[in-house]
């Protein structure tokens, strides 16, 4: 199979490239400089030259605070870009996978969100990502939307790397303790995406299993790193975030499990990630 990955230089794009290449597929990973998903003409020209069977869109504007002030950029990349991809994919009869987010939900629910739950985003990031979902679904029937959360992977900035870096600089770190979600390792997400290629199109929630607060996530990172850094729990209000985050955005994997696809617990994924990161950097 010939596969195009947009946002190919990102953490998930890199992971997907590696997974599919190991399976023997031809993978073309495009950075945002090589393929701007907001440029419909560029998309059309690339799809003319390359007869691919699958497009995986990982490109997105994910800076939550900046989305609030850079609205045009947020809606263009997260909303219009996926629509352009969907329109051109339909013309060429190409299967499309689009990566979305837990931020399409309000975070007011107290039980895991299922695919049938009505999205109600409260941030520009969430609203722009929801628009991308709606427009892409409208334009293309052969599309699978993957909602995931708290993503981390190799070769980029993420929460795990931030805590690791701060633990080398500080004796204590303040971390929010009233926001709950599902930490998700890009490798585990990539494996499920590979499995879903042969499944019916639609919307799927895909995360590692289990859930925690950011505080609990940070504490587990410190524990696995065997650091002495103290993690101080604080409320969202005390922390003083510019943009309100969903307080509860745990995604249910029930639909995924109905296809007999399971994901491992987030602690197991984190352990493997840190082990590989430390090995790659020759750390103890």
């Amino acid at each position: 199979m010939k596969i195009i990955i947009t946002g190919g230089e990102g953490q998930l794009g890199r992971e997907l490239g590696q997974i599919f290449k190991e399976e023997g597929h031809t993978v073309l990973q495009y950075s945002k400089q090589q393929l701007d998903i907001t440029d419909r003409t560029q998309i059309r020209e690339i799809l003319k030259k390359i007869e691919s069977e699958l497009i995986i869109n990982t490109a997105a504007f994910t800076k939550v605070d900046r989305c609030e002030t850079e609205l045009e950029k947020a809606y263009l990349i997260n909303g219009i870009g996926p629509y352009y991809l969907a329109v051109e994919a339909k013309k060429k009869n190409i299967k499309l996978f689009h990566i979305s987010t837990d931020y399409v939900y309000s975070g007011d629910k107290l039980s895991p969100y299922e695919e049938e739950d009505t999205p109600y985003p409260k941030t520009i990031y969430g609203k722009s990502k929801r628009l991308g979902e709606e427009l892409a679904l409208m334009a293309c029937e052969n599309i699978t939307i993957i909602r995931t959360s708290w993503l981390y992977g190799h070769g980029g900035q993420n929460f795990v790397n931030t805590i690791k870096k701060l633990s080398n600089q500080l004796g204590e770190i303040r971390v929010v303790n009233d926001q709950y979600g599902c930490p998700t390792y890009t490798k585990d997400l990539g494996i499920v995406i590979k499995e879903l290629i042969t499944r019916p199109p639609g919307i799927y929630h895909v995360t590692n299993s289990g859930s925690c607060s950011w505080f609990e996530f940070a504490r587990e990172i410190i524990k696995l790193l065997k650091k002495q850094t103290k993690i101080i729990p604080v409320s969202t209000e005390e922390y003083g975030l510019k943009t309100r985050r969903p307080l509860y955005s745990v995604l249910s994997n029930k639909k995924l499990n109905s296809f007999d696809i399971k994901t491992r617990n987030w602690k197991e994924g984190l352990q493997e990630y840190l082990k590989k990161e430390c090995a790659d950097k020759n750390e103890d």
Side-chain angles (χ1 to χ4, degrees):
M1 182 184 290
K2 191 171 286 187
I3 302 168
I4 288 175
I5 300 175
T6 65
E9 84 289 1
Q11 294 172 75
L12 180 57
R14 290 183 188 187
E15 194 76 61
L16 288 168
Q18 184 175 331
I19 288 170
F20 283 108
K21 284 173 186 174
E22 288 174 356
E23 291 286 313
H25 299 291
T26 300
V27 182
L28 297 101
Q29 294 168 250
Y30 288 93
S31 67
K32 58 186 176 183
Q33 289 78 24
Q34 295 168 322
L35 173 53
D36 179 358
I37 65 169
T38 69
D39 187 335
R40 190 170 177 180
T41 302
Q42 190 179 34
I43 295 170
R44 191 180 296 129
E45 289 303 312
I46 286 175
L47 295 185
K48 273 184 186 177
K49 292 185 290 184
I50 300 164
E51 294 187 4
S52 67
E53 296 151 84
L54 172 66
I55 299 170
I56 306 177
N57 179 39
T58 73
F61 183 31
T62 59
K63 305 293 185 184
V64 177
D65 291 331
R66 283 179 56 191
C67 282
E68 295 294 319
T69 56
E70 299 177 49
L71 278 73
E72 184 176 344
K73 182 177 179 179
Y75 279 106
L76 193 59
I77 296 173
N78 297 335
I80 304 302
Y83 171 69
Y84 287 163
L85 285 170
V87 169
E88 299 306 322
K90 182 177 181 179
K91 286 181 184 177
K92 294 284 187 178
N93 196 28
I94 302 171
K95 184 190 292 283
L96 175 63
F97 270 58
H98 172 61
I99 310 303
S100 193
T101 173
D102 56 321
Y103 272 67
V104 300
Y105 295 111
S106 66
D108 296 330
K109 195 180 178 186
L110 297 178
S111 60
Y113 283 96
E114 298 181 8
E115 290 83 352
E116 295 78 18
D117 287 326
T118 303
Y120 187 68
K122 292 188 174 181
T123 64
I124 296 300
Y125 171 60
K127 289 174 183 177
S128 62
K129 289 294 287 184
R130 177 55 183 161
L131 178 64
E133 289 184 358
E134 292 176 310
L135 293 177
L137 286 166
M138 180 179 69
C140 180
E141 297 84 16
N142 196 8
I143 179 172
T144 293
I145 291 175
I146 307 284
R147 291 182 186 141
T148 191
S149 68
W150 295 22
L151 206 59
Y152 64 91
H154 304 286
Q157 290 297 315
N158 57 60
F159 182 78
V160 183
N161 288 350
T162 297
I163 294 297
K164 183 181 175 185
K165 181 180 177 181
L166 290 175
S167 71
N168 293 325
Q169 302 170 347
L170 304 171
E172 59 181 43
I173 306 169
R174 298 166 68 250
V175 182
V176 170
N177 195 33
D178 57 1
Q179 295 176 26
Y180 292 85
C182 308
T184 305
Y185 182 18
T186 52
K187 178 181 177 180
D188 294 328
L189 176 57
I191 289 169
V192 173
I193 289 173
K194 182 185 71 173
E195 292 290 323
L196 287 174
I197 286 174
T198 58
R199 307 289 180 167
I203 298 175
Y204 295 86
H205 290 174
V206 183
T207 65
N208 280 110
S209 64
S211 62
C212 62
S213 68
W214 287 111
F215 165 74
E216 291 166 328
F217 190 14
R219 190 171 57 182
E220 187 68 16
I221 295 165
I222 294 299
K223 175 186 168 185
L224 291 172
L225 289 172
K226 298 178 180 178
K227 298 279 189 178
Q228 299 302 312
T229 309
K230 187 175 182 181
I231 305 298
I232 310 294
V234 296
S235 68
T236 297
E237 187 176 354
E238 287 175 307
Y239 195 79
L241 290 166
K242 291 180 182 177
T243 308
R244 183 186 185 277
R245 268 66 168 172
L247 292 180
Y248 186 91
S249 61
V250 178
L251 300 178
S252 169
N253 285 340
K254 188 169 78 171
K255 182 178 178 181
L256 196 67
N257 296 341
S258 72
F259 287 97
D260 203 28
I261 300 174
K262 312 287 185 182
T263 57
R264 60 181 166 175
N265 186 270
W266 67 269
K267 290 184 180 181
E268 295 176 56
L270 176 62
Q271 187 171 19
E272 181 180 324
Y273 171 81
L274 286 173
K275 187 176 180 180
K276 188 175 187 303
E277 281 286 297
C278 290
D280 289 346
K281 294 178 174 59
N282 296 314
E283 296 175 2
D284 293 332

